[in-house]
Amino acid sequence: ANYESFAKAGYSRNSVVYTAINKVTTACMGINWELYSKSAKGEATQIEQHPLLTLWNKPNPLQDRSSFIESLVGFKNIAGNSYIEANTGSQDLNFNKPPIELWPVRPDKVKVVPGNLGYPIAYEFSNGSNKIVWPVNPIDLKSRIAHWKSFNPLSDWYGLAPLEAALLQLDQNYSGQRWNLALLQNSSTPSGVLQMKVSDANPRGELTTEQYARLKSEFENSYTGARNAGKPMIIEGGLSWQSISMSPKEMDFLKGREVTATDLYLIYGVPPELVGLGQKTFSNYKEARLAFYEETILPTMDSLKGLV
């Protein structure tokens, strides 16, 4: 249960997790941000041009607003933590100086330095031989690092990764994918028995070691795998093939893979209808999309807005 495992075994090698996170990040990237000023009477006036808008639309030389948000939301959905570095263009500790660049920082590279009073006293970035420490102002707790984290009842310093709550579902889904791959590699045939007939010449129906090795090699090369699917089987005299059908237990296992996929989507707040699961009707899709934005995307953006 760490960032590297979640990024590799979860996001990079599991299509369900990859799809769920991409659904969330892509939707968040498409949200437009507007800037308003309020008068003394509470009347709001939209501001079309402002240094804050310029910074937000181009946070740093390598990213625009969309890719910046994609990194922030992606990191948070993988690790439960996301960090933003505010580059003010100087090394002084004036925490009120406005930034000229905003950079997303990989969460596995940042360590929170805890304080005795229950709040962090610094954030430490380590990348091999390089190390940077960003102190936290003890008065107003401002820092050049903004920490966006999910709720974690077991840690005061780090957020809870969604995949940590879904480790069992992730393992079950991965096992289901391996199961389907094994079936495909065996021509979608669960299993069977190649049996030697009993005869006067071979009363015990046995094969010699050489015969067994040759038969096993020829069978694997000629009749298993997707490229050999549907090929007629040629059996030598004295041999017979007895198919073994898929048991109800095995069928339940494959059905369970769909159930765990649904669980993973729900952990990320993605309605299954948006990815082809559940009742496939236009009305259901429309309602699921509305719920996706109201219950997942907009609260995520509200949380990010409160951070920046």
Side-chain angles (χ1 to χ4, degrees):
N2 55 60
Y3 175 80
E4 185 174 354
S5 296
F6 293 149
K8 288 183 177 180
Y11 183 77
S12 301
R13 298 176 183 173
N14 188 285
S15 59
V16 174
V17 176
Y18 178 88
T19 301
I21 292 179
N22 273 20
K23 279 283 185 183
V24 175
T25 56
T26 302
C28 289
M29 290 163 59
I31 298 294
N32 289 323
W33 292 63
E34 296 177 346
L35 183 63
Y36 288 85
S37 64
K38 278 189 177 181
S39 65
K41 297 181 180 180
E43 298 175 347
T45 303
Q46 185 175 357
I47 301 175
E48 299 288 346
Q49 305 228 342
H50 192 276
L52 181 60
L53 288 175
T54 303
L55 176 65
W56 188 243
N57 289 324
K58 187 64 176 178
N60 59 72
L62 299 181
Q63 293 179 306
D64 59 9
R65 183 196 64 198
S66 295
S67 59
F68 179 71
I69 291 177
E70 180 183 26
S71 298
L72 296 180
V73 176
F75 284 145
K76 186 171 182 288
N77 278 283
I78 293 175
N81 300 278
S82 195
Y83 300 90
I84 305 174
E85 177 195 358
N87 177 18
T88 61
S90 65
Q91 299 299 321
D92 61 63
L93 297 180
N94 182 3
F95 297 101
N96 293 316
K97 188 175 182 178
I100 59 174
E101 293 176 349
L102 298 175
W103 291 89
V105 186
R106 265 180 54 172
D108 59 324
K109 304 293 185 181
V110 179
K111 183 176 70 174
V112 178
V113 182
N116 296 329
L117 299 179
Y119 57 81
I121 59 174
Y123 294 94
E124 181 180 295
F125 172 84
S126 179
N127 186 14
S129 59
N130 299 322
K131 182 180 291 187
I132 304 174
V133 177
W134 294 284
V136 175
N137 189 329
I139 305 301
D140 55 15
L141 302 183
K142 288 184 178 181
S143 174
R144 290 186 183 175
I145 285 288
H147 185 188
W148 188 26
K149 63 179 181 177
S150 59
F151 172 69
N152 188 344
L154 300 177
S155 176
D156 295 328
W157 315 112
Y158 300 100
L160 180 69
L163 284 180
E164 192 164 352
L167 284 176
L168 180 60
Q169 288 86 350
L170 181 63
D171 286 343
Q172 289 176 335
N173 186 264
Y174 177 76
S175 297
Q177 291 180 1
R178 298 292 299 176
W179 177 273
N180 284 346
L181 177 61
L183 285 180
L184 179 64
Q185 291 173 337
N186 288 285
S187 304
S188 298
T189 303
S191 61
V193 176
L194 195 61
Q195 185 176 10
M196 171 67 74
K197 293 181 179 180
V198 176
S199 65
D200 294 338
N202 190 359
R204 300 182 61 180
E206 293 179 333
L207 292 172
T208 65
T209 302
E210 292 77 10
Q211 288 175 324
Y212 177 83
R214 180 180 64 85
L215 189 61
K216 182 174 182 293
S217 176
E218 290 182 355
F219 193 84
E220 290 178 347
N221 293 332
S222 302
Y223 302 109
T224 61
R227 61 187 178 85
N228 293 319
K231 182 183 293 186
M233 184 178 295
I234 302 175
I235 302 179
E236 299 182 21
L239 293 173
S240 63
W241 173 259
Q242 178 67 42
S243 296
I244 298 178
S245 61
M246 188 177 292
S247 67
K249 182 179 180 180
E250 292 168 326
M251 295 294 291
D252 288 342
F253 183 82
L254 294 178
K255 179 64 177 176
R257 179 175 175 267
E258 181 177 328
V259 174
T260 58
T262 300
D263 290 341
L264 287 170
Y265 285 126
L266 293 178
I267 285 173
Y268 281 101
V270 179
E273 290 82 2
L274 296 183
V275 291
L277 299 175
Q279 297 293 327
K280 303 177 180 65
T281 66
F282 177 78
S283 178
N284 285 345
Y285 182 88
K286 182 179 179 181
E287 293 297 323
R289 182 174 173 81
L290 178 61
F292 179 51
Y293 274 86
E294 288 185 342
E295 299 173 12
T296 302
I297 303 305
L298 294 181
T300 298
M301 290 291 95
D302 285 341
S303 176
L304 179 58
K305 182 185 68 174
L307 179 72
V308 298

